[in-house]
Amino acid sequence: MNSNTSSLFAEIRSFNPDTIFNLIESVEGNAQMESHIAAMFDILEVSYTGNSSLALGNCLFKQQTKRILIGSNIPTPNYEVIKHLERINTIGTNLKFPLIVKLLREDASIGISENSVVKSKEELKNRISYLFKNFKQDLLLEEYIEGRELNVSILDNEVLPISEIDFKGLPENLPKIITYEAKWSPESDYYKHTIPVCPAKLSKRVTNKISNIALRAFKELDCRDYARVDIRLSKDNVPYVIEINPNPDISPDSGFARSATAAGISYNELIDKLITLSIGRYY
């Protein structure tokens, strides 16, 4: 997408659409600009699908997401924000290993690899150094939750059938996480051994607990229309929210579409629903 937002602004005003199907995830590769385009639509008072600029920004900026979750008493892993490598001797002193290191303002698993889960100070220092050098961003350090990886899709305040990532066959030396390779490298071990299973095999009690937590997170982050809440279910069945994805991928082969299908919602019905929701806000 061209970064000339003035031109885009003028084109929208000239065209005067009934609604805009907002699939924008970045501007010239900059994910932090995603929320700015939604804000432009708001200024123009034009209807658009999906989440508001506020929700998009809060969910991308992981520290803000954490603050809202913790303030709302929603379980999420303990964390720390890392801004200066010089503090390496004090980083993580209040957290328990193993830890996972993430970029603070990225999505699509950018910066996540088999080296993201660290078990010692030395591994932590090496990972921090690598990310600072290659991405030049602040980092999020979290306690790593051993357990099941679940994706909870929400459509208009309705929790769709929960999906689980099956790590069966993944080499034992690799942490059971969704890495960049798992999403984008078909020849990698991670891509081949991170298979979604929907609906996930969960008891009714645990399903209800997860659904309630996910829906609370959706609402507290001021999400609307649709989002995906990623959860790690600990070995003692505590659901920890690890990420909230407003406007997730809704291509026909996406996880969101898969959950919709499991709920008896066809792909055409899903798209129609999102358009109807967006138009309903303005007309």
Side-chain angles (χ1 to χ4, degrees), residues 127-268:
R127 188 61 186 170
I128 291 171
S129 299
Y130 171 83
L131 292 173
F132 274 150
K133 178 181 178 181
N134 289 278
F135 295 94
K136 297 177 175 58
Q137 280 194 40
D138 294 342
L139 308 176
L140 180 76
L141 182 61
E142 280 184 325
E143 291 183 354
Y144 173 66
I145 306 298
E146 294 278 2
R148 300 167 70 176
E149 178 96 10
L150 305 171
N151 304 136
V152 187
S153 296
I154 298 175
L155 176 63
D156 189 26
N157 294 313
E158 175 188 353
V159 177
L160 304 180
I162 298 170
S163 183
E164 178 175 8
I165 302 300
D166 185 357
F167 294 99
K168 184 178 180 180
L170 189 69
E172 287 296 324
N173 63 308
L174 297 180
K176 293 179 173 59
I177 58 175
I178 302 300
T179 63
Y180 184 84
E181 285 187 340
K183 293 183 177 180
W184 311 111
S185 300
E187 300 304 315
S188 69
D189 281 332
Y190 267 110
Y191 191 97
K192 295 175 182 177
H193 301 295
T194 50
I195 308 301
V197 176
C198 184
K201 294 180 180 180
L202 299 161
S203 70
K204 184 176 181 180
R205 182 182 66 83
V206 173
T207 296
N208 289 339
K209 181 191 294 187
I210 293 167
S211 298
N212 289 337
I213 291 285
L215 192 56
R216 283 177 57 203
F218 178 91
K219 292 178 178 179
E220 292 296 341
L221 268 295
D222 203 28
C223 294
R224 69 186 190 194
D225 292 8
Y226 69 116
R228 191 188 73 241
V229 181
D230 295 339
I231 284 176
R232 294 288 289 200
L233 184 66
S234 70
K235 293 179 179 179
D236 54 353
N237 286 331
V238 176
Y240 289 88
V241 175
I242 56 173
E243 194 160 351
I244 302 170
N245 296 275
N247 295 10
D249 179 15
I250 52 169
S251 57
D253 60 350
S254 68
F256 197 98
R258 186 181 302 110
S259 289
T261 298
I265 302 169
S266 72
Y267 190 70
N268 285 343

Side-chain angles (χ1 to χ4, degrees), residues 57-92:
N58 281 342
C59 291
L60 180 65
F61 185 33
K62 294 181 176 62
Q63 185 177 16
Q64 184 66 8
T65 304
K66 285 287 197 176
R67 288 170 175 165
I68 294 172
L69 292 173
I70 292 170
S72 304
N73 293 316
I74 295 173
T76 188
N78 294 327
Y79 79 102
E80 182 177 327
V81 172
I82 306 172
K83 295 189 175 182
H84 303 291
L85 185 59
E86 291 75 17
R87 294 178 54 247
I88 188 63
N89 291 328
T90 60
I91 286 172

